[in-house]
Amino acid sequence: MVEVIEGGAYLFDGRELVADRPENAAVLAKRLAPNREAAHKLARQGTISYGILAAHNQGPDDGARGSAPTLKLKFDALASHDITFVNIIQTAKGCGLEKFPVPYILTNCHNSLCAVGGTINEDDHVFGLSAAEKYGGIYVPPHLAVIHSYIRETQAGCGKMILGSDSHTRYGALGTLGVGEGGGELVKQLLSRTYDIAYPKVIGVCLSGKVRNGVGPQDVALAIIGAVFKSGFAKNAILEFVGDGVATLSADFRCGIDVMTTETTCWSSIWETDDRIRDFLALHGRAACYKPLRPAAIAYYDGMIRVDLSTVKPMIALPFHPSNTFEIDALLANPGDILRKVEQDAAAIMENPKIRFTLTDKVDAQGRIRIDQGIIAGCAGGTYENIMAAASLLEGGGSSISDGRNTAGSNSGPSVQASPFSLSVYPGSQSVMLELAKNGCMGRLIAAGAIVRTAFCGPCFGAGDVPANNGLSIRHTTRNFPNREGSRPADGQIASVALMDARSIAATAANGGYLASAEYLEGAAPPPAYHYDESPYRNRVYTGTGFPKPTVSLRYGPNITDWPDMADLGEHLLVQIVSFITDPVTTTDEIIPSGETSSYRSNPIGLAEFTLSRKDPAYVGRAKLVRQAELARQELVRNGGAQSASTGTLSDFPEFPSLPEIREVISHIRTIKGMERFDLRDTRIGSAIYAVKPGDGSAREQAASCQRILGGAANFAREYATKRYRSNLVNWGILPFILDGEPVFKNGDYIFIPQIASALKEGRAAVQAYLVSPNTNQAAVSDFTLRVPELTAEEKEIVLAGSLINYNRRTG
């Protein structure tokens, strides 16, 4: 079904694949003659990705990724939604923003439920409109479109690059390299600075064959994610889709696969383009944005994923990750064992004894799996073709379900059968909804018992359609991490999401709410041609690109607050470990939960109270104690106490009420060679988190900024799941340290890192760190080697300054 080819591979004429392996040496020598080295370098430039990156690179590029030049990129457009744009604009304003230098689209598709939290969600929307007016941006009101649907319809084009503050910023199917990042990277673009990154790997995804009956884009995407996520094969790479199979897929189908590439942890994606993409862009009034994109006659990829579309079957990703994939047939053939294993895996990460998470209770005596809820929504599910296919299959009904795999009785008409099962459909934009209304599909869905709602991302991140406790929801959305459906494990609540394609969700609805595969329904009728009508946008969207109005004042609500002051790094760093997480992967949703917390994302201090609240509820209290100690240190320095203490004894230091053991820690630090006269004038005290592999998931910067606001100074990890989370840490002045091997420390321990500022300036690869253990029977001080993160010159200055805000204020 999906084959992963490790190592490099050549693609000849866009179709012939030859792996760069010893057994192919003779073939490659002949094909790359007369100068293989020169041909190899040229082949590296033969990818679609290379051409787009080169066109946007503001720095030198020798064309050979092996030398890892740093790309300095400027993007054609920026995009944010309403749980990120307030913080981004506030940060940029504090750094001297005068106008948006490129189109900046502010959509309002996450905090659309304006009754949640009182006025504060609508206050954010009003702020966004005033910012679009003041700085010259584009403002898309609530319920009009989800962010990625709007960008596809109005902004994407062949050869472009778009940067968005949402991890699913993916427009590769339309020929655009879309990159999802934290807000700090958008701030740099707003200040006309560059996005700096080492040249990424480019991994080919070679598609062949045609999809079988009942298979949709989510099925193909889940098959790819399941094959590559756990190995990290695609991590921080560009996935480049090529091959004969591309031409068999519609533009909507390609977009549905493309948006899910984020879940492989790749950096971006791009597809070869053809007449179907030309027609899509022309339909949306942007014919001039089309150009054919194909690899050169010889293109070299750092790896290859081969997908025979004809072998992909309807898939399901069980809780709690999109990579936990199974063919629906396989699950229905052995539900007990598979669901029991999911329960066991969940028990290993659920630390609340009040939680009883079960899935096996969904299996009835006939072996059927009962589902509580179905959702088709957002940038992944809410496309025209997905909804039309679901409606067609739902109308075909259970009478066509056969082969013994789906076992509901006959369905005499188009309906969601009366049962606890519910089905909600969210078109991705008002333009799609308008077409569904015109062609009668929306009416048929409503008459069948489905609930049709306006464009909203809520079901994707836990702010809408939350099932009952221990409920199981099947969703054509992007993620099924813990709590993405809105439950609150800290309060003993737990529900779960399984990802599926809209077609099999419709089959399940027709099957009375029992899990079913769309493969065994009669094929969906081909949808009528889509007619794009821009009227909803023309009548409601504010378009001010290039026309800023400096006299307009930003409109604030009581929940919109400025960032607090943050100290610089200092020469030395003393941190206490205040959370120690041993899960294989820690998502950004676990660091700063989504759902109801989204209403507080314009209030940095208020939002910080939710940090790790579902994973480690004691974290905030521990971190605050460390922050109080740092504030006491700053007061000590202001009053000159630290200077006198440097020549005196431990008793010359005042008490630290929040952490009285710090005086003992200082005493132990003074036993380190060269630290005999150590004081606190040039030492930041901060908190730190250890996690094995943190940062999978959302691009939102709050996963890092909340740590910083609570006094965070460092993270320790075996590796970081995504580039965007690591970038967020850096932009908020948090050092992303890497550990080789198991940590030598535990929760509550102190780590002293002397001369860390000098180490950063000098580009050292490692430093000597010290585990300091006051009031214990173990050795008071023990040393270990700590890898210093690789940082660009600008990133070093940002960390030294204490945050991107501090850096920008100082450099102007």
Side-chain angles (χ1 to χ4, degrees), residues 232-305:
F233 181 70
K235 180 179 176 181
N236 295 332
I238 299 174
L239 295 185
E240 185 162 310
F241 287 77
V242 296
D244 292 331
V246 172
T248 69
L249 305 176
S250 69
D252 261 10
F253 203 112
R254 298 179 206 183
C255 288
I257 299 171
D258 187 59
V259 73
M260 290 297 293
T261 60
T262 296
E263 304 313 320
T264 70
T265 68
C266 73
W267 178 70
S268 188
S269 60
I270 195 71
W271 292 56
E272 58 180 60
T273 61
D274 56 19
D275 290 352
R276 292 196 176 194
I277 302 306
R278 180 200 61 196
D279 294 345
F280 179 94
L281 293 172
L283 175 66
H284 290 83
R286 301 201 314 285
C289 292
Y290 174 75
K291 63 181 178 181
L293 299 177
R294 283 175 65 92
I298 305 176
Y300 183 84
Y301 294 92
D302 297 288
M304 186 64 69
I305 303 167

Side-chain angles (χ1 to χ4, degrees), residues 144 153 428-436 530-537:
L144 212 58
E153 292 173 351
S429 72
Q430 283 288 84
S431 293
V432 171
M433 178 176 275
L434 180 58
E435 182 67 5
L436 297 174
Y530 177 66
H531 302 90
Y532 174 67
D533 188 337
E534 67 172 2
S535 298
Y537 299 153

